[in-house]
Amino acid sequence: APRISDDYQKRVESFLHFAQENGASLGGKYLCPCVNCVNGRRQSLEDIKSHLICEGFSPTYPNWIWHGKFP
């Protein structure tokens, strides 16, 4: 879905909730799967949300190996 769509934003919210429940946090920060961070940088959930809406998910990260198995 386009990043400006309600569907995409709902999926980002769903991912953030899932990451918070299942991912490994380090000081309240999680690996960010956006195209710039590519799971190499830890960010706050609010920053991850901004990154995913502005930049999008990394296309090389289709399987959520760092955040648990995302439906």
Side-chain angles (χ1 to χ4, degrees):
R3 291 192 310 264
I4 60 170
S5 72
D6 288 341
D7 182 51
Y8 182 82
Q9 293 193 22
K10 286 178 187 175
R11 293 197 49 81
V12 166
E13 290 291 338
S14 178
F15 171 78
L16 293 173
H17 177 75
F18 184 85
Q20 187 174 23
E21 294 293 318
N22 299 286
S25 169
L26 183 61
K29 294 186 176 187
Y30 300 84
L31 292 170
C32 179
C34 80
V35 296
N36 291 324
C37 295
V38 195
N39 288 304
R41 297 184 196 139
R42 290 189 177 271
Q43 307 286 348
S44 69
L45 291 174
E46 193 60 35
D47 286 343
I48 293 172
K49 178 180 180 179
S50 176
H51 288 195
L52 293 177
I53 289 173
C54 293
E55 309 298 332
F57 283 93
S58 171
T60 62
Y61 192 55
N63 299 314
W64 311 109
I65 59 174
W66 297 111
H67 304 96
K69 186 175 179 179
F70 189 62

